[in-house]
């Protein structure tokens, strides 16, 4: 199919208070197409002044017409936004493929999923209510679930629109207003989102979009005293900085950070199935996903056979141009990310781990941030290759002998986002799932991320949960109201 978007693209304004406004600094961010290494779009750059304007707009909207809408009407608007994203899926998918290098087959799927996410949370909007508490006779005690207020949403570059829907869905369903800061590497689809928010009919200021750099726009949002909550997806070191800034007014926080996810194949597993899923789990999105199964633990009795199947499967992965329908994985999103992956590949070679596949730039790609799917076997679980998040297509395979050893090695990491295991033994499935220190454990599948399933990290992988009703609760305050209706006067403790 021919491409539908033209380039270069220019977005000279920010989306604040329902209007397109020039950025205070007059500056723009240049966005690079990672498959050609050329600038293909420019986007207005927000600074601290713009962030402040956006926060004021969000505060005004919080108390304005947005607050007067019924929850069902809020839900209808969220639903409409999802439908508009689905309508424009092809165009939005192309824009994201150009911006971050992900293949069209993935970005198309992500647009549909963004719509599905919004549909789920649209349905939640009128199912949020408190409870009555019979705490004593002659009193009516109840809780109100109130929106937490103005939400600053700070996003990464790996799945822009999809992650916008993870934040906007529950924030809007609960009646919050949002200032959204997309990642500086991939700001384009957020600008299209602004137009869709207007078209959906949201009141002005409910969602404001301020692309900008982390150390300026992001930091200003995190520190702003009138922002009530920060929802952040990105690296845990950034989360630590945000946490320090957010302390200024004790902002509520939810963080989705990185992972070094263990994927365990026991000897009684369906090996073919496990290897197919483990290959996809390790290499999809060029490894640029928080949930990549980057540490594969294989029981020693099936180790050599599993490695053979893995290498066969991974060798079939087609690295290619993002807009080519045949491409399985595209380039890295940035030169920095490619350099980081290459550093880990060199480290793995120097450390003497067995390089089974890849390890270099694929043939035929002189330009672009491309790298081959890479597999190292016999990796030491204590090494940097097995402990640090690479965010690239580099799989570390590690043998183990016993169940206890597999669990101990899987948990021996600072992260705890996703874990997977393959076994036909139902007792082992429950035992191991209970012991893994991870927010999501999958058995005989990998990483079932879905709007209904709470998602988030243990340890350095995050705080709070996205998705499901757990996500809704992250955007609510509980207010307790007690109305005393006793006819008899209360005793006077100061009477004598
Ligand atoms: P990053 O932390 O560098 O940047 C994320 C966002 O934070 C960007 O918008 C950036 O501008 C902003 N930022 C940077 N410094 C800031 C500061 N001082 N104050 C406020 N904002 C600041 O992360 P990234 O490189 O864009 O994304 C990759 C990371 O995201 C990986 O660690 C990955 O695992 C994680 N991630 C996690 C999930 C999840 O759901 N758990 C999903 C996707 C990505």
């Amino acid at each position: 199919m021919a491409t539908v978007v033209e380039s270069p693209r220019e977005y000279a304004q920010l989306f604040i208070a329902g209007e397109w406004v020039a950025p205070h600094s007059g500056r723009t961010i240049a966005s690079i197409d990672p498959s050609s290494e050329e600038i293909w779009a420019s986007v207005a750059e927000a600074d601290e002044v713009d962030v402040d304007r956006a926060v004021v707009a969000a505060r005004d909207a919080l108390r304005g017409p947005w607050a007067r809408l019924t929850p069902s009407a809020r839900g209808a608007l969220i639903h409409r936004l999802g439908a508009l994203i689905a309508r424009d899926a092809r165009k939005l998918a192309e824009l994201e493929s150009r911006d971050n290098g992900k293949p069209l087959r993935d970005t198309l799927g992500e647009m549909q999923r963004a719509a599905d996410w919004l549909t789920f949370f649209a349905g939640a909007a009128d199912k949020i209510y408190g409870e009555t508490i019979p705490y004593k006779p002659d009193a009516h005690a109840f809780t109100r679930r109130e929106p937490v207020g103005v939400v600053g949403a700070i996003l990464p570059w790996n799945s822009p629109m999809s992650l916008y829907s993870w934040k906007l869905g529950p924030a809007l369903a609960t009646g919050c207003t949002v200032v959204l800061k997309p990642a500086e590497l991939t700001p384009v689809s957020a600008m299209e989102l602004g137009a869709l928010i207007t078209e959906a009919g949201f009141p002005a200021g409910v969602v404001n979009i301020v692309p900008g750099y982390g150390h300026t726009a992001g930091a200003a949002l995190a520190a702003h005293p009138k922002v009530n909550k920060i929802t952040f997806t990105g690296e845990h070191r950034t989360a630590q900085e945000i946490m320090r800034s957010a302390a200024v007014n004790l902002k509520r926080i939810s963080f989705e950070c990185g992972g070094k996810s263990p994927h365990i194949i026991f000897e009684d597993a369906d090996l073919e199935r496990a290897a197919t899923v483990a290959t996809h789990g390790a290499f999809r999105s060029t490894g640029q996903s928080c949930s990549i199964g980057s540490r594969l633990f294989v029981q020693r009795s099936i180790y050599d056979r599993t490695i053979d199947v893995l290498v066969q499967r991974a060798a079939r992965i087609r690295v290619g141009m993002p807009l080519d329908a045949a491409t399985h994985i595209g380039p890295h999103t940035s030169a920095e990310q490619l350099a980081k992956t290459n550093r880990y590949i060199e480290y793995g070679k120097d450390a003497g781990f067995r390089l089974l596949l890849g390890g270099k730039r694929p043939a035929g790609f002189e330009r672009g941030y491309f790298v081959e799917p890479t597999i190292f076997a016999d990796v030491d679980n204590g090494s940097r290759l097995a402990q640090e998040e690479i965010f690239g297509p580099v799989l570390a395979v590690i043998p183990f002998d016993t169940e206890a050893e597999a669990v101990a090695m899987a948990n021996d990491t600072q992260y705890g986002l996703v874990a997977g295991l393959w076994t036909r033994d139902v007792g082992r499935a429950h035992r191991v799932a209970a012991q893994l220190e991870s927010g999501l454990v999958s058995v005989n599948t990998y990483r079932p991320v879905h709007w209904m399933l709470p998602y988030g990290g243990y340890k350095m992988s995050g705080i709070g949960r996205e998705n499901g009703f757990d996500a809704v609760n992250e955007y609510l305050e509980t207010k307790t109201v007690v109305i005393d209706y006793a006819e008899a006067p209360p005793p006077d403790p100061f009477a004598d």
Side-chain angles (χ1 to χ4, degrees):
M1 191 195 269
T3 56
V4 298
V5 301
E6 289 160 8
S7 61
R9 300 186 77 80
E10 282 185 25
Y11 301 88
Q13 292 165 316
L14 309 167
F15 185 63
I16 297 176
E19 291 179 359
W20 292 95
V21 297
H24 162 254
S25 69
R27 287 195 299 264
T28 54
I29 299 171
S31 186
I32 294 173
D33 177 337
S35 62
S36 65
E37 302 184 31
E38 283 165 7
I39 294 173
W40 83 287
S42 79
V43 173
E45 180 198 331
D47 66 10
E48 295 84 340
V49 175
D50 301 306
V51 166
D52 185 58
R53 283 154 73 192
V55 172
V56 168
R59 271 222 96 67
D60 289 348
L62 189 68
R63 307 210 171 96
W66 186 232
R68 290 191 288 278
L69 283 184
T70 64
S72 303
R74 271 202 319 266
L77 287 172
I78 302 167
H79 194 274
R80 174 131 178 81
L81 180 61
L84 293 174
I85 291 172
R87 182 196 69 188
D88 291 354
R90 171 77 198 194
K91 174 184 171 193
L92 294 167
E94 270 189 34
L95 291 172
E96 286 206 346
S97 288
R98 290 294 301 274
D99 228 17
N100 82 353
K102 212 177 251 194
L104 202 49
R105 61 167 74 191
D106 288 355
T107 50
L108 275 169
E110 286 188 15
M111 293 313 147
Q112 184 52 54
R113 284 168 75 77
D116 292 340
W117 244 264
L118 290 171
T119 301
F120 172 79
F121 286 108
D126 57 8
K127 295 164 192 69
I128 298 165
Y129 27 74
E131 46 190 12
T132 56
I133 304 166
Y135 104 106
K136 67 170 196 163
D138 296 341
H140 180 53
F142 62 98
T143 54
R144 291 168 52 87
R145 310 303 311 280
E146 297 184 351
V148 79
V150 174
V151 173
I154 303 178
L155 280 305
W157 41 263
N158 61 335
S159 300
M161 187 65 84
S162 168
L163 293 178
Y164 302 154
S165 73
W166 288 29
K167 312 289 188 195
L168 289 178
L172 299 176
T174 49
C176 293
T177 56
V178 180
V179 177
L180 187 151
K181 195 205 82 62
E184 51 270 47
L185 282 175
T186 56
V188 166
S189 59
M191 306 320 283
E192 299 286 337
L193 179 66
L196 297 183
I197 282 163
T198 301
E199 187 179 346
F202 282 90
V206 171
V207 181
N208 307 274
I209 302 176
V210 286
Y213 291 95
H215 61 278
T216 53
L221 197 51
H224 201 295
K226 295 285 163 97
V227 172
N228 303 98
K229 174 188 167 80
I230 292 288
T231 174
F232 164 80
T233 300
E235 236 241 306
H236 67 267
R237 287 180 203 85
T238 314
Q240 289 170 319
E241 276 190 55
I242 291 174
M243 204 168 182
R244 279 189 281 272
S245 307
V248 65
N249 60 330
L250 293 188
K251 286 184 184 64
R252 280 68 184 129
I253 47 173
S254 43
F255 293 158
E256 292 295 335
C257 303
K260 192 72 190 178
S261 300
H263 203 164
I264 309 170
I265 307 181
F266 287 99
E267 60 193 358
D268 64 337
D270 179 335
L271 194 149
E272 290 286 324
R273 217 162 144 167
T276 302
V277 173
T279 308
H280 184 251
F283 296 117
R284 61 177 196 87
S285 306
T286 320
Q288 298 178 134
S289 162
C290 51
S291 57
I292 283 299
S294 50
R295 289 188 300 152
L296 187 66
F297 297 98
V298 184
Q299 202 151 19
R300 205 173 303 272
S301 54
I302 56 161
Y303 189 68
D304 291 338
R305 205 151 46 93
T306 306
I307 280 177
D308 287 346
V309 183
L310 269 178
V311 172
Q312 274 171 30
R313 296 278 193 285
R316 293 204 301 244
I317 295 173
R318 284 191 298 270
V319 181
M321 298 302 276
L323 296 184
D324 182 343
T327 295
H328 289 143
I329 66 170
H332 268 307
T333 299
S334 67
E336 292 74 23
Q337 193 54 52
L338 175 64
K340 185 178 174 198
T341 294
N342 283 335
R343 279 199 300 278
Y344 280 102
I345 290 173
E346 289 315 307
Y347 165 83
K349 289 179 188 167
D350 291 346
F353 302 137
R354 190 152 51 106
L355 179 62
L356 298 177
L357 188 77
K360 56 185 188 320
R361 177 177 274 275
F365 293 90
E366 276 72 48
R367 292 178 72 74
Y369 309 132
F370 293 95
V371 63
E372 291 176 335
T374 298
I375 302 179
F376 283 100
D378 311 342
V379 173
D380 174 358
N381 191 48
S383 71
R384 291 182 51 208
L385 206 67
Q387 290 295 320
E388 296 176 13
E389 185 185 43
I390 301 173
F391 228 52
V394 181
L395 176 62
V397 191
I398 302 168
F400 69 90
D401 291 302
T402 64
E403 183 182 306
E405 191 193 355
V407 170
M409 285 202 289
N411 285 340
D412 182 14
T413 165
Q414 65 175 336
Y415 296 110
L417 190 60
V418 173
L421 65 127
W422 292 78
T423 180
R424 289 187 172 103
D425 177 340
V426 69
R428 168 177 283 159
H430 281 285
R431 243 180 353 257
V432 175
Q435 291 176 81
L436 289 171
E437 296 163 358
S438 177
L440 173 64
V441 178
S442 51
V443 181
N444 297 337
T445 178
Y446 186 68
R447 188 196 163 267
V449 172
H450 189 275
W451 49 91
M452 289 175 70
L453 302 175
Y455 182 78
Y458 281 30
K459 303 193 279 192
M460 295 297 267
S461 288
I463 295 177
R465 292 293 176 269
E466 308 225 62
N467 310 336
F469 258 79
D470 282 44
V472 172
N473 288 327
E474 298 279 342
Y475 292 84
L476 291 168
E477 292 280 16
T478 297
K479 178 184 283 174
T480 305
V481 182
V482 178
I483 300 175
D484 195 309
Y485 53 81
E487 282 187 301
D492 182 356
F494 296 135
D496 48 37

